[in-house]
Amino acid sequence: MADALTPITSRCRFGRTMRDTHFMLAPTYTPLNHGSFGTYPKPVQKRLHECQTLSEARPDNFQRYDYPVMLDRSRAAMASFLNVPVDEVVFVPNATTAINVVLENLRFKKGEVILHLSTLYGSVAKMIEYIHETRGVESVNVAVEYPIDDDVLVSRFQTAINDVKDGKRRRVGVAIFDTISSLPGVRVPWERLVEVCREENVLSLVDGAHGVGQIDLGLSKVQPDFFTSNCHKWLYVPRACAVFHVPRRNQHLIRTSLPTSHGFVPRPRGPGHEIMNPLMKDSSSTSPFALLFEFVATLDVSPYLCIEEALRFRREVCGGEEKIMRYCEEISSEAGRQAAEILGTGVMENGTKMLTKCAFTNVRLPLEIGDGPEQIPEKDMYLVAVWMTAMLVRESDIYSPVFFHARRFWTRLSGQVYLDLGDFEKGARALKTLCDRAKSGEYLQQKARL
Protein backbone atom coordinates (compact mmCIF):
# COMPACT_ATOMS: atom_id res chain seq x y z
CA MET A 1 0.00 0.00 0.00
CA ALA A 2 2.90 2.37 0.69
CA ASP A 3 3.95 1.96 -2.96
CA ALA A 4 0.43 2.82 -4.09
CA LEU A 5 0.48 6.02 -2.04
CA THR A 6 3.95 7.19 -3.06
CA PRO A 7 3.33 8.23 -6.69
CA ILE A 8 0.21 10.19 -5.74
CA THR A 9 2.04 11.93 -2.92
CA SER A 10 5.00 12.95 -5.05
CA ARG A 11 2.84 14.12 -7.94
CA CYS A 12 0.28 16.13 -5.98
CA ARG A 13 2.33 16.91 -2.86
CA PHE A 14 -0.29 15.50 -0.51
CA GLY A 15 0.38 14.99 3.19
CA ARG A 16 2.46 17.37 5.29
CA THR A 17 3.44 19.57 2.32
CA MET A 18 -0.21 20.08 1.39
CA ARG A 19 -1.07 20.87 4.99
CA ASP A 20 1.74 23.37 5.59
CA THR A 21 1.28 25.14 2.26
CA HIS A 22 -2.46 25.36 1.81
CA PHE A 23 -4.33 24.69 5.05
CA MET A 24 -4.67 26.65 8.31
CA LEU A 25 -4.49 23.81 10.83
CA ALA A 26 -2.54 24.49 14.04
CA PRO A 27 1.02 23.10 13.82
CA THR A 28 0.63 20.76 16.82
CA TYR A 29 -2.90 19.57 16.00
CA THR A 30 -3.43 16.10 14.52
CA PRO A 31 -6.86 16.11 12.84
CA LEU A 32 -7.93 12.52 12.21
CA ASN A 33 -11.61 13.51 12.10
CA HIS A 34 -12.11 15.54 8.92
CA GLY A 35 -15.52 13.91 8.48
CA SER A 36 -17.24 15.81 11.27
CA PHE A 37 -16.64 19.47 10.44
CA GLY A 38 -14.15 19.47 7.58
CA THR A 39 -11.82 22.38 6.90
CA TYR A 40 -10.90 24.45 3.89
CA PRO A 41 -7.70 25.81 2.28
CA LYS A 42 -6.38 29.35 2.23
CA PRO A 43 -7.65 30.30 -1.28
CA VAL A 44 -11.18 29.40 -0.19
CA GLN A 45 -10.77 31.45 2.99
CA LYS A 46 -9.72 34.40 0.83
CA ARG A 47 -12.87 34.02 -1.26
CA LEU A 48 -15.00 33.76 1.87
CA HIS A 49 -13.57 37.00 3.23
CA GLU A 50 -14.02 38.74 -0.13
CA CYS A 51 -17.71 37.88 -0.13
CA GLN A 52 -18.14 38.98 3.48
CA THR A 53 -16.39 42.28 2.68
CA LEU A 54 -18.67 42.88 -0.31
CA SER A 55 -21.67 42.20 1.90
CA GLU A 56 -20.58 44.78 4.47
CA ALA A 57 -19.48 47.44 1.99
CA ARG A 58 -22.98 47.84 0.53
CA PRO A 59 -25.35 45.56 2.46
CA ASP A 60 -28.55 46.34 0.54
CA ASN A 61 -26.89 46.31 -2.83
CA PHE A 62 -25.20 42.99 -2.08
CA GLN A 63 -28.22 41.17 -0.63
CA ARG A 64 -30.74 42.43 -3.20
CA TYR A 65 -28.76 42.54 -6.44
CA ASP A 66 -25.25 41.05 -6.28
CA TYR A 67 -25.89 37.99 -4.15
CA PRO A 68 -28.62 36.41 -6.35
CA VAL A 69 -26.35 36.59 -9.41
CA MET A 70 -23.39 35.15 -7.49
CA LEU A 71 -25.59 32.44 -6.00
CA ASP A 72 -26.76 31.36 -9.46
CA ARG A 73 -23.12 30.94 -10.48
CA SER A 74 -22.48 28.75 -7.45
CA ARG A 75 -25.58 26.69 -8.17
CA ALA A 76 -24.45 26.24 -11.77
CA ALA A 77 -20.99 25.09 -10.65
CA MET A 78 -22.48 22.64 -8.15
CA ALA A 79 -24.97 21.31 -10.69
CA SER A 80 -22.18 20.74 -13.21
CA PHE A 81 -20.11 18.96 -10.56
CA LEU A 82 -23.05 16.65 -9.76
CA ASN A 83 -24.08 16.35 -13.42
CA VAL A 84 -27.69 17.36 -12.71
CA PRO A 85 -29.82 20.26 -14.03
CA VAL A 86 -29.14 23.59 -12.35
CA ASP A 87 -32.82 24.18 -11.56
CA GLU A 88 -32.72 21.07 -9.34
CA VAL A 89 -29.95 22.42 -7.07
CA VAL A 90 -30.16 24.84 -4.13
CA PHE A 91 -28.11 25.47 -1.00
CA VAL A 92 -29.05 25.15 2.67
CA PRO A 93 -26.86 25.49 5.80
CA ASN A 94 -26.44 21.73 6.34
CA ALA A 95 -27.81 18.31 5.47
CA THR A 96 -29.88 18.22 8.64
CA THR A 97 -31.78 21.28 7.41
CA ALA A 98 -32.52 19.66 4.03
CA ILE A 99 -33.83 16.46 5.62
CA ASN A 100 -35.97 18.51 7.98
CA VAL A 101 -37.35 20.42 4.98
CA VAL A 102 -38.39 17.19 3.28
CA LEU A 103 -40.02 15.63 6.34
CA GLU A 104 -41.88 18.81 7.22
CA ASN A 105 -43.17 19.23 3.67
CA LEU A 106 -44.34 15.67 3.03
CA ARG A 107 -48.02 15.14 3.68
CA PHE A 108 -48.11 11.64 5.10
CA LYS A 109 -51.31 9.75 4.44
CA LYS A 110 -52.96 7.51 6.99
CA GLY A 111 -50.97 4.31 7.37
CA GLU A 112 -47.78 5.66 5.80
CA VAL A 113 -44.58 5.15 7.78
CA ILE A 114 -40.98 6.36 7.68
CA LEU A 115 -38.42 3.60 7.10
CA HIS A 116 -34.80 4.07 8.14
CA LEU A 117 -31.63 2.18 8.97
CA SER A 118 -30.60 1.98 12.62
CA THR A 119 -27.28 3.67 11.77
CA LEU A 120 -28.85 6.95 10.65
CA TYR A 121 -27.42 10.18 12.06
CA GLY A 122 -28.58 11.07 15.57
CA SER A 123 -30.24 14.40 14.71
CA VAL A 124 -32.18 12.71 11.91
CA ALA A 125 -33.38 10.05 14.34
CA LYS A 126 -34.60 12.78 16.66
CA MET A 127 -36.26 14.54 13.73
CA ILE A 128 -38.23 11.38 13.01
CA GLU A 129 -39.27 11.25 16.67
CA TYR A 130 -40.46 14.86 16.41
CA ILE A 131 -42.56 14.02 13.34
CA HIS A 132 -44.05 11.13 15.31
CA GLU A 133 -44.84 13.34 18.32
CA THR A 134 -46.41 16.14 16.31
CA ARG A 135 -48.08 14.27 13.44
CA GLY A 136 -48.43 10.70 14.66
CA VAL A 137 -46.35 9.22 11.84
CA GLU A 138 -44.87 5.85 12.79
CA SER A 139 -41.37 4.76 11.88
CA VAL A 140 -39.75 1.41 11.15
CA ASN A 141 -36.14 0.77 12.13
CA VAL A 142 -34.08 -1.64 10.02
CA ALA A 143 -31.47 -3.03 12.43
CA VAL A 144 -27.93 -2.98 11.08
CA GLU A 145 -24.86 -4.25 12.93
CA TYR A 146 -21.54 -3.98 11.15
CA PRO A 147 -19.70 -5.67 9.65
CA ILE A 148 -22.51 -6.77 7.30
CA ASP A 149 -22.42 -7.60 3.59
CA ASP A 150 -24.26 -5.29 1.22
CA ASP A 151 -26.49 -8.12 -0.02
CA VAL A 152 -27.69 -8.81 3.52
CA LEU A 153 -28.39 -5.14 4.21
CA VAL A 154 -30.35 -4.69 0.97
CA SER A 155 -32.31 -7.87 1.71
CA ARG A 156 -33.24 -6.64 5.19
CA PHE A 157 -34.32 -3.32 3.70
CA GLN A 158 -36.53 -5.05 1.15
CA THR A 159 -37.97 -7.37 3.79
CA ALA A 160 -38.81 -4.41 6.03
CA ILE A 161 -40.80 -2.79 3.21
CA ASN A 162 -42.65 -6.05 2.59
CA ASP A 163 -43.38 -6.50 6.30
CA VAL A 164 -44.92 -3.03 6.47
CA LYS A 165 -47.21 -3.84 3.56
CA ASP A 166 -48.32 -7.29 4.72
CA GLY A 167 -51.95 -7.16 5.78
CA LYS A 168 -51.77 -4.04 7.96
CA ARG A 169 -53.04 -1.38 5.55
CA ARG A 170 -49.73 0.36 5.84
CA ARG A 171 -47.06 1.37 3.38
CA VAL A 172 -43.67 3.06 3.49
CA GLY A 173 -44.08 6.70 2.53
CA VAL A 174 -40.41 7.62 2.59
CA ALA A 175 -37.17 5.75 3.32
CA ILE A 176 -34.13 7.51 4.74
CA PHE A 177 -30.58 6.19 4.41
CA ASP A 178 -27.00 7.41 4.04
CA THR A 179 -24.46 7.28 1.25
CA ILE A 180 -21.81 6.89 3.95
CA SER A 181 -22.94 6.55 7.54
CA SER A 182 -21.35 8.58 10.31
CA LEU A 183 -20.72 6.19 13.22
CA PRO A 184 -19.52 3.77 12.09
CA GLY A 185 -18.12 5.50 9.03
CA VAL A 186 -18.87 2.96 6.30
CA ARG A 187 -20.07 3.09 2.73
CA VAL A 188 -23.74 2.15 2.40
CA PRO A 189 -25.09 0.46 -0.78
CA TRP A 190 -27.35 3.47 -1.22
CA GLU A 191 -27.60 3.10 -4.98
CA ARG A 192 -29.24 -0.30 -4.56
CA LEU A 193 -31.52 0.98 -1.82
CA VAL A 194 -32.72 3.77 -4.14
CA GLU A 195 -33.51 1.12 -6.76
CA VAL A 196 -35.52 -0.90 -4.24
CA CYS A 197 -37.46 2.25 -3.33
CA ARG A 198 -38.19 2.95 -7.00
CA GLU A 199 -39.49 -0.57 -7.55
CA GLU A 200 -41.66 -0.38 -4.43
CA ASN A 201 -43.02 3.13 -5.17
CA VAL A 202 -41.37 4.52 -2.03
CA LEU A 203 -39.82 7.98 -1.89
CA SER A 204 -36.05 7.82 -1.27
CA LEU A 205 -34.48 10.50 0.94
CA VAL A 206 -30.70 10.13 0.78
CA ASP A 207 -28.61 11.64 3.56
CA GLY A 208 -25.41 12.15 1.63
CA ALA A 209 -23.84 14.32 4.34
CA HIS A 210 -20.48 12.62 3.71
CA GLY A 211 -20.98 12.07 -0.02
CA VAL A 212 -19.99 15.13 -2.05
CA GLY A 213 -16.22 15.23 -2.40
CA GLN A 214 -15.61 11.83 -0.80
CA ILE A 215 -17.04 9.39 -3.38
CA ASP A 216 -18.17 9.47 -7.00
CA LEU A 217 -21.94 9.78 -6.58
CA GLY A 218 -23.25 9.24 -10.10
CA LEU A 219 -26.33 11.17 -9.03
CA SER A 220 -27.85 11.55 -12.49
CA LYS A 221 -27.77 7.78 -12.93
CA VAL A 222 -29.02 6.77 -9.47
CA GLN A 223 -31.82 9.38 -9.41
CA PRO A 224 -32.93 9.44 -5.76
CA ASP A 225 -36.10 11.37 -4.98
CA PHE A 226 -34.34 13.72 -2.56
CA PHE A 227 -30.61 14.11 -1.95
CA THR A 228 -28.52 16.33 0.28
CA SER A 229 -24.84 16.56 1.11
CA ASN A 230 -22.68 18.85 3.19
CA CYS A 231 -20.20 20.76 1.05
CA HIS A 232 -18.34 21.85 4.20
CA LYS A 233 -17.21 18.33 5.01
CA TRP A 234 -15.31 16.83 2.09
CA LEU A 235 -15.52 19.51 -0.65
CA TYR A 236 -13.39 22.16 1.18
CA VAL A 237 -16.21 24.72 1.42
CA PRO A 238 -16.59 26.81 4.61
CA ARG A 239 -19.25 25.94 7.15
CA ALA A 240 -22.22 26.10 6.78
CA CYS A 241 -23.08 24.98 3.25
CA ALA A 242 -24.93 21.95 1.92
CA VAL A 243 -26.36 21.12 -1.48
CA PHE A 244 -30.02 20.10 -1.68
CA HIS A 245 -31.01 18.31 -4.87
CA VAL A 246 -34.67 17.73 -5.74
CA PRO A 247 -35.53 16.45 -9.25
CA ARG A 248 -38.20 18.41 -11.08
CA ARG A 249 -40.65 15.55 -10.68
CA ASN A 250 -40.68 16.07 -6.89
CA GLN A 251 -40.32 19.82 -6.54
CA HIS A 252 -44.08 20.25 -6.17
CA LEU A 253 -43.77 18.34 -2.87
CA ILE A 254 -41.48 21.01 -1.38
CA ARG A 255 -43.85 23.86 -0.61
CA THR A 256 -41.71 25.81 1.84
CA SER A 257 -38.20 26.34 3.11
CA LEU A 258 -37.46 26.26 6.84
CA PRO A 259 -38.16 28.81 8.06
CA THR A 260 -40.79 29.88 5.56
CA SER A 261 -39.47 32.96 3.79
CA HIS A 262 -40.02 35.27 0.83
CA GLY A 263 -39.83 32.54 -1.82
CA PHE A 264 -42.97 30.82 -0.54
CA VAL A 265 -45.90 31.13 -2.96
CA PRO A 266 -49.23 30.88 -1.07
CA ARG A 267 -52.24 29.34 -2.75
CA PRO A 268 -54.62 32.09 -3.95
CA ARG A 269 -57.16 33.22 -1.35
CA GLY A 270 -58.69 36.20 -3.12
CA PRO A 271 -58.30 39.98 -2.87
CA GLY A 272 -56.73 41.33 0.29
CA HIS A 273 -54.39 38.40 0.83
CA GLU A 274 -51.53 39.50 -1.43
CA ILE A 275 -48.16 39.56 0.34
CA MET A 276 -45.48 41.93 -0.87
CA ASN A 277 -41.92 40.65 -1.21
CA PRO A 278 -39.74 43.36 0.39
CA LEU A 279 -36.75 42.27 -1.67
CA MET A 280 -38.59 43.55 -4.77
CA LYS A 281 -36.88 41.16 -7.15
CA ASP A 282 -37.93 40.28 -10.68
CA SER A 283 -38.19 36.52 -10.22
CA SER A 284 -39.32 35.66 -13.74
CA SER A 285 -35.93 34.16 -14.62
CA THR A 286 -35.65 32.01 -11.49
CA SER A 287 -37.47 28.69 -11.02
CA PRO A 288 -39.93 28.58 -8.10
CA PHE A 289 -37.85 25.89 -6.39
CA ALA A 290 -34.64 27.92 -6.62
CA LEU A 291 -36.42 31.08 -5.50
CA LEU A 292 -37.80 29.25 -2.48
CA PHE A 293 -34.27 28.81 -1.09
CA GLU A 294 -32.58 31.94 -2.47
CA PHE A 295 -33.19 34.09 0.61
CA VAL A 296 -34.12 32.21 3.79
CA ALA A 297 -33.93 34.46 6.84
CA THR A 298 -30.80 36.58 7.34
CA LEU A 299 -27.73 34.36 7.21
CA ASP A 300 -24.09 34.72 6.32
CA VAL A 301 -24.49 33.27 2.83
CA SER A 302 -20.81 33.72 1.95
CA PRO A 303 -20.05 29.96 2.18
CA TYR A 304 -22.57 29.33 -0.64
CA LEU A 305 -20.46 31.59 -2.84
CA CYS A 306 -17.22 29.64 -2.31
CA ILE A 307 -18.18 26.60 -4.42
CA GLU A 308 -16.28 27.70 -7.52
CA GLU A 309 -13.09 28.46 -5.58
CA ALA A 310 -13.23 25.12 -3.74
CA LEU A 311 -13.67 23.23 -7.00
CA ARG A 312 -10.83 25.22 -8.56
CA PHE A 313 -8.51 24.30 -5.68
CA ARG A 314 -9.42 20.63 -6.01
CA ARG A 315 -8.81 20.73 -9.75
CA GLU A 316 -5.73 22.93 -10.06
CA VAL A 317 -3.87 22.28 -6.80
CA CYS A 318 -4.93 18.74 -5.87
CA GLY A 319 -5.05 17.35 -9.39
CA GLY A 320 -8.76 16.61 -9.63
CA GLU A 321 -11.40 14.46 -8.04
CA GLU A 322 -9.99 11.05 -8.96
CA LYS A 323 -6.62 11.82 -7.35
CA ILE A 324 -8.19 13.26 -4.20
CA MET A 325 -10.59 10.37 -3.70
CA ARG A 326 -7.99 7.72 -4.44
CA TYR A 327 -5.46 9.20 -2.00
CA CYS A 328 -8.02 9.65 0.78
CA GLU A 329 -9.35 6.10 0.41
CA GLU A 330 -5.90 4.53 0.19
CA ILE A 331 -4.36 6.37 3.10
CA SER A 332 -7.46 5.70 5.20
CA SER A 333 -7.22 1.97 4.50
CA GLU A 334 -3.48 1.81 5.14
CA ALA A 335 -3.85 3.88 8.31
CA GLY A 336 -6.53 1.49 9.53
CA ARG A 337 -4.29 -1.52 9.04
CA GLN A 338 -1.39 0.26 10.74
CA ALA A 339 -3.54 1.32 13.70
CA ALA A 340 -5.04 -2.16 14.07
CA GLU A 341 -1.53 -3.62 14.21
CA ILE A 342 -0.48 -1.13 16.92
CA LEU A 343 -3.67 -1.78 18.92
CA GLY A 344 -3.63 -5.54 18.35
CA THR A 345 -7.17 -5.56 16.93
CA GLY A 346 -8.72 -5.27 13.47
CA VAL A 347 -10.67 -3.01 11.12
CA MET A 348 -14.38 -3.05 10.36
CA GLU A 349 -14.86 -4.67 6.96
CA ASN A 350 -17.27 -7.05 5.27
CA GLY A 351 -16.65 -10.03 3.03
CA THR A 352 -16.76 -8.06 -0.22
CA LYS A 353 -14.50 -5.25 1.11
CA MET A 354 -17.14 -2.61 0.36
CA LEU A 355 -17.36 -0.86 3.73
CA THR A 356 -14.03 0.91 3.26
CA LYS A 357 -14.64 2.05 -0.33
CA CYS A 358 -14.53 5.59 1.00
CA ALA A 359 -12.25 7.81 3.09
CA PHE A 360 -13.29 6.27 6.44
CA THR A 361 -11.84 3.30 8.30
CA ASN A 362 -13.10 2.08 11.67
CA VAL A 363 -10.55 0.41 13.94
CA ARG A 364 -11.56 -1.69 16.94
CA LEU A 365 -10.09 -0.66 20.28
CA PRO A 366 -8.67 -3.29 22.69
CA LEU A 367 -11.44 -2.86 25.27
CA GLU A 368 -13.85 -5.58 26.34
CA ILE A 369 -17.28 -5.08 27.87
CA GLY A 370 -17.99 -7.06 31.01
CA ASP A 371 -17.62 -7.17 34.78
CA GLY A 372 -14.25 -8.89 34.95
CA PRO A 373 -10.78 -7.45 35.59
CA GLU A 374 -9.77 -4.73 33.10
CA GLN A 375 -13.19 -4.91 31.43
CA ILE A 376 -15.56 -2.00 30.94
CA PRO A 377 -18.95 -2.36 32.67
CA GLU A 378 -21.80 -1.98 30.23
CA LYS A 379 -23.18 0.97 32.19
CA ASP A 380 -19.90 2.84 31.60
CA MET A 381 -19.68 2.39 27.82
CA TYR A 382 -20.81 5.89 26.94
CA LEU A 383 -18.73 7.47 29.71
CA VAL A 384 -15.57 5.70 28.53
CA ALA A 385 -16.12 6.82 24.92
CA VAL A 386 -16.61 10.44 26.02
CA TRP A 387 -13.60 10.32 28.37
CA MET A 388 -11.22 8.82 25.81
CA THR A 389 -12.21 11.28 23.09
CA ALA A 390 -11.78 14.23 25.47
CA MET A 391 -8.43 13.05 26.85
CA LEU A 392 -7.08 12.39 23.38
CA VAL A 393 -7.58 15.98 22.28
CA ARG A 394 -6.80 17.65 25.62
CA GLU A 395 -3.59 15.78 26.35
CA SER A 396 -2.26 14.97 22.88
CA ASP A 397 -3.93 17.56 20.60
CA ILE A 398 -5.31 14.70 18.51
CA TYR A 399 -8.94 14.28 17.57
CA SER A 400 -10.35 10.91 16.58
CA PRO A 401 -13.86 9.97 17.76
CA VAL A 402 -14.27 6.98 20.07
CA PHE A 403 -17.66 5.26 19.89
CA PHE A 404 -19.25 1.88 20.46
CA HIS A 405 -21.13 -0.24 17.97
CA ALA A 406 -22.34 -3.82 18.27
CA ARG A 407 -20.97 -3.95 21.84
CA ARG A 408 -17.45 -3.04 20.79
CA PHE A 409 -15.39 0.12 21.04
CA TRP A 410 -14.10 1.70 17.84
CA THR A 411 -12.36 4.79 16.55
CA ARG A 412 -13.12 6.30 13.13
CA LEU A 413 -10.20 7.50 11.00
CA SER A 414 -10.71 10.05 8.20
CA GLY A 415 -8.33 10.02 5.25
CA GLN A 416 -7.49 13.45 3.88
CA VAL A 417 -5.01 15.12 1.53
CA TYR A 418 -3.25 16.97 4.37
CA LEU A 419 -2.49 13.79 6.36
CA ASP A 420 0.25 11.21 6.10
CA LEU A 421 0.72 7.84 7.79
CA GLY A 422 2.77 9.33 10.61
CA ASP A 423 -0.29 11.27 11.78
CA PHE A 424 -2.29 8.08 12.13
CA GLU A 425 0.53 6.22 13.87
CA LYS A 426 0.70 9.01 16.45
CA GLY A 427 -3.05 8.75 17.01
CA ALA A 428 -3.03 4.98 17.34
CA ARG A 429 -0.26 4.99 19.96
CA ALA A 430 -2.06 7.65 21.99
CA LEU A 431 -5.27 5.61 21.84
CA LYS A 432 -3.46 2.47 22.98
CA THR A 433 -2.22 4.31 26.09
CA LEU A 434 -5.71 5.62 26.80
CA CYS A 435 -7.18 2.13 26.49
CA ASP A 436 -4.78 0.90 29.18
CA ARG A 437 -5.80 3.81 31.39
CA ALA A 438 -9.50 3.08 30.79
CA LYS A 439 -9.00 -0.54 31.85
CA SER A 440 -7.58 0.70 35.15
CA GLY A 441 -10.73 2.77 35.77
CA GLU A 442 -9.09 6.16 35.43
CA TYR A 443 -12.16 7.53 33.61
CA LEU A 444 -14.10 7.27 36.89
CA GLN A 445 -11.60 9.52 38.67
CA GLN A 446 -11.88 12.23 36.00
CA LYS A 447 -15.62 11.99 35.40
CA ALA A 448 -16.20 15.49 36.80
CA ARG A 449 -13.88 17.02 34.15
CA LEU A 450 -16.00 15.83 31.23
Side-chain angles (χ1 to χ4, degrees):
M1 180 58 66
D3 291 338
L5 290 171
T6 301
I8 306 175
T9 305
S10 61
R11 218 169 31 243
C12 301
R13 301 172 68 84
F14 289 161
R16 175 58 65 171
T17 300
M18 175 66 72
R19 169 177 172 154
D20 292 344
T21 305
H22 297 290
F23 286 86
M24 298 165 284
L25 296 159
T28 62
Y29 184 54
T30 305
L32 307 183
N33 186 43
H34 183 94
S36 282
F37 301 109
T39 192
Y40 49 93
K42 295 173 185 177
V44 176
Q45 184 195 49
K46 179 182 178 183
R47 174 59 176 166
L48 176 71
H49 290 173
E50 288 173 350
C51 293
Q52 291 170 333
T53 299
L54 286 172
S55 176
E56 297 313 312
R58 295 180 177 85
D60 278 285
N61 188 69
F62 179 84
Q63 294 290 347
R64 297 172 188 274
Y65 306 115
D66 294 339
Y67 163 63
V69 175
M70 297 165 74
L71 179 66
D72 285 347
R73 286 179 52 185
S74 281
R75 290 178 48 242
M78 193 74 248
S80 177
F81 183 78
L82 294 174
N83 192 27
V84 296
V86 67
D87 63 356
E88 297 181 352
V89 169
V90 295
F91 294 113
V92 293
N94 48 55
T96 299
T97 300
I99 295 170
N100 208 324
V101 165
V102 175
L103 293 182
E104 287 284 9
N105 274 275
L106 291 181
R107 295 295 171 255
F108 292 94
K109 299 176 183 177
K110 184 177 180 180
E112 286 188 330
V113 304
I114 300 171
L115 183 73
H116 64 85
L117 304 183
S118 61
T119 50
L120 85 170
Y121 190 58
S123 68
V124 179
K126 290 192 174 182
M127 204 181 307
I128 292 172
E129 287 300 303
Y130 171 77
I131 295 295
H132 169 69
E133 286 185 11
T134 57
R135 293 158 63 182
V137 180
E138 299 292 340
S139 63
V140 174
N141 181 11
V142 181
V144 179
E145 282 195 357
Y146 288 102
I148 184 176
D149 282 343
D150 288 356
D151 288 347
V152 176
L153 190 152
V154 174
S155 177
R156 288 184 186 176
F157 185 82
Q158 177 74 71
T159 298
I161 294 177
N162 294 338
D163 288 345
V164 169
K165 292 190 300 184
D166 283 350
K168 297 180 181 179
R169 295 185 179 180
R170 299 195 305 168
R171 66 177 298 273
V172 177
V174 62
I176 307 174
F177 44 87
D178 303 294
T179 54
I180 299 167
S181 63
S182 180
L183 295 175
V186 297
R187 186 160 180 163
V188 177
W190 67 282
E191 302 96 331
R192 295 173 61 183
L193 299 183
V194 169
E195 183 61 29
V196 171
C197 288
R198 185 177 297 113
E199 293 172 354
E200 295 291 344
N201 195 29
V202 170
L203 290 173
S204 55
L205 171 50
V206 179
D207 181 355
H210 292 282
V212 169
Q214 184 176 174
I215 59 174
D216 184 6
L217 291 163
L219 205 58
S220 59
K221 178 181 179 181
V222 182
Q223 281 289 306
D225 290 303
F226 305 99
F227 174 87
T228 184
S229 183
N230 288 324
C231 302
H232 57 249
K233 287 185 182 289
W234 298 90
L235 203 66
Y236 309 150
V237 174
R239 296 172 292 273
C241 176
V243 62
F244 181 31
H245 171 247
V246 181
R248 295 188 192 102
R249 67 181 185 274
N250 292 325
Q251 289 181 6
H252 68 285
L253 298 173
I254 305 300
R255 291 276 294 132
T256 182
S257 59
L258 291 180
T260 299
S261 196
H262 299 300
F264 175 67
V265 181
R267 294 190 173 95
R269 295 177 59 189
H273 289 282
E274 296 84 0
I275 304 173
M276 175 184 172
N277 184 345
L279 297 180
M280 297 181 293
K281 177 191 174 184
D282 177 10
S283 59
S284 58
S285 62
T286 306
S287 72
F289 175 67
L291 188 62
L292 192 63
F293 291 90
E294 183 175 276
F295 186 95
V296 181
T298 304
L299 305 171
D300 180 2
V301 293
S302 304
Y304 297 177
L305 309 180
C306 294
I307 296 292
E308 289 179 290
E309 190 60 46
L311 294 178
R312 183 180 295 110
F313 177 84
R314 295 170 70 86
R315 182 176 61 252
E316 296 180 2
V317 177
C318 298
E321 297 304 309
E322 191 273 336
K323 288 185 174 66
I324 295 170
M325 293 178 186
R326 183 154 61 100
Y327 181 85
C328 292
E329 180 181 329
E330 288 180 352
I331 197 169
S332 171
S333 295
E334 179 62 17
R337 282 188 281 272
Q338 174 184 261
E341 182 176 344
I342 291 170
L343 294 166
T345 58
V347 300
M348 183 183 289
E349 185 58 284
N350 61 16
T352 54
K353 310 296 183 184
M354 290 302 296
L355 300 184
T356 55
K357 291 295 182 181
C358 60
F360 280 144
T361 301
N362 305 276
V363 182
R364 185 166 58 84
L365 299 180
L367 295 173
E368 299 297 329
I369 298 169
D371 297 320
E374 296 194 335
Q375 292 184 322
I376 306 299
E378 187 166 356
K379 64 180 180 62
D380 290 344
M381 289 171 59
Y382 181 77
L383 178 60
V384 168
V386 171
W387 176 79
M388 288 188 65
T389 305
M391 291 302 104
L392 187 64
V393 71
R394 290 175 184 174
E395 297 178 352
S396 303
D397 210 12
I398 301 169
Y399 199 97
S400 184
V402 175
F403 65 99
F404 49 89
H405 176 78
R407 292 184 59 79
R408 287 184 170 181
F409 285 90
W410 305 84
T411 191
R412 185 191 72 186
L413 304 178
S414 298
Q416 195 44 253
V417 298
Y418 53 71
L419 295 171
D420 56 37
L421 289 176
D423 296 314
F424 294 100
E425 179 182 0
K426 180 180 177 182
R429 296 196 183 282
L431 281 166
K432 184 176 182 180
T433 299
L434 281 171
C435 286
D436 291 338
R437 290 163 60 184
K439 292 175 186 178
S440 71
E442 185 178 332
Y443 63 92
L444 294 172
Q445 303 165 23
Q446 301 184 358
K447 183 177 180 179
R449 293 180 57 193
L450 302 178

